[in-house]
Amino acid sequence: MRVKGWLVLILAALVVIAAVVLVRLFEGDAERGQVVKVVDGDTVVIRVAGVEERVRLLNVDTPEIGDQRQVLSCIGPQATEFLRRELPAGSRVELDYDLDLRDRYGRLLAAVYVGPTLVNAEIAAAGLGEPVVFGRNDRFLRDVEEAFEEARADERGAFDPDSECAWTELEKDVEDLVEEAESVLGNLQRGDRGLAADQAAGALIAAIDEADPALLSGGGYDEVELRDLRGRVADLQARARAVMP
């Protein structure tokens, strides 16, 4: 009986070990790290195994700091300050990974956890970042998408209609440009010179080409609509140039 009892204990131990191995296989290899500094709304420097790694948060994207477009220029700093509050220097975090570990810039691609909280999703939940996929890495996408939709429903962050950083303001900026260009064309057809219309159309085309479709989708545009919009403006520009002296 004593031998049988030992066998049961050994078998139980093997089951526990196998379960841990399976969890590691199916959930990825998590690592512990310490925050050094936040770079921007989706990038942070973390010391991992004694090495300072520039970590790009997976499946969430925030505007770059210094983006000159009126609306995006205020979302970027807000996202950065939010991440600094979530990940102050010295805080302990856990990193988890997907299929591709690094991007073309050499940054480590990871999900960052503080306790059970997925920081990647928290950025989207605050309405300061959008879901995005890098290559084959979509493991944390659903969490970010759900958080993003919650922010939309609750009008948080860039979904706050009273905020100067609202997606609705971004949509309005684009629509204002379209109206301006079409107004110039109307004036042109009534005898104005074509240079002003050409310049207005060129500025709008440049604005569309520089726009991030993922971010503009928050303002009500998708990639197909952006292409259609660009085509309208290009046609407007061609018509303006046709009557230029």
Side-chain angles (χ1 to χ4, degrees):
M1 294 294 293
R2 183 176 298 175
V3 173
K4 184 176 180 181
W6 277 108
L7 287 175
V8 171
L9 289 174
I10 292 171
L11 182 60
L14 289 174
V15 169
V16 171
I17 293 171
V20 171
V21 170
L22 286 173
V23 168
R24 298 288 285 187
L25 286 174
F26 285 100
E27 294 190 354
D29 296 325
E31 287 188 281
R32 297 189 183 278
Q34 185 175 27
V35 175
V36 176
K37 65 177 181 179
V38 168
V39 177
D40 57 29
D42 51 37
T43 308
V44 58
V45 177
I46 299 176
R47 185 175 294 107
V48 182
V51 177
E52 290 191 3
E53 292 276 8
R54 198 175 183 92
V55 178
R56 177 62 166 86
L57 303 187
L58 278 171
N59 298 132
V60 66
D61 188 46
T62 66
E64 298 294 330
I65 295 177
D67 193 313
Q68 296 304 307
R69 285 165 285 170
Q70 178 182 348
V71 178
L72 300 188
S73 64
C74 61
I75 298 176
Q78 284 189 18
T80 301
E81 287 305 312
F82 176 84
L83 193 57
R84 284 177 179 151
R85 293 193 298 270
E86 292 288 305
L87 300 175
S91 56
R92 302 285 180 174
V93 296
E94 189 170 89
L95 282 71
D96 211 349
Y97 308 109
D98 205 346
L99 296 174
D100 298 323
L101 289 179
R102 296 190 183 273
D103 64 11
R104 58 179 177 169
Y105 306 109
R107 296 177 298 185
L108 189 63
L109 303 174
V112 175
Y113 288 89
V114 176
T117 301
L118 176 59
V119 176
N120 308 45
E122 290 299 296
I123 296 168
L128 300 173
E130 280 218 330
V132 69
V133 176
F134 303 107
R136 303 178 296 167
N137 293 344
D138 61 0
R139 182 177 164 201
F140 308 98
L141 181 63
R142 177 169 294 182
D143 290 328
V144 175
E145 288 177 334
E146 291 176 354
F148 181 74
E149 291 306 321
E150 289 174 7
R152 187 199 301 272
D154 294 340
E155 296 186 339
R156 293 194 294 263
F159 291 109
D160 180 354
D162 296 325
S163 171
E164 293 181 357
C165 292
W167 297 122
T168 52
E169 290 296 320
L170 179 57
E171 180 180 12
K172 184 175 181 296
D173 283 352
V174 176
E175 290 176 345
D176 286 348
L177 281 171
V178 174
E179 290 178 5
E180 178 184 354
E182 290 179 341
S183 173
V184 171
L185 177 61
N187 293 335
L188 166 68
Q189 292 171 334
R190 287 188 291 272
D192 287 354
R193 293 172 61 86
L195 181 59
D198 180 64
Q199 291 175 339
L204 181 53
I205 289 173
I208 294 172
D209 288 343
E210 292 171 4
D212 184 339
L215 291 170
L216 282 177
S217 67
Y221 289 93
D222 59 29
E223 292 187 49
V224 174
E225 289 170 329
L226 277 178
R227 285 197 299 269
D228 289 345
L229 179 60
R230 191 189 190 286
R232 286 176 55 203
V233 176
D235 178 64
L236 179 155
Q237 185 179 45
R239 290 161 61 191
R241 287 179 174 174
V243 296
M244 287 176 63

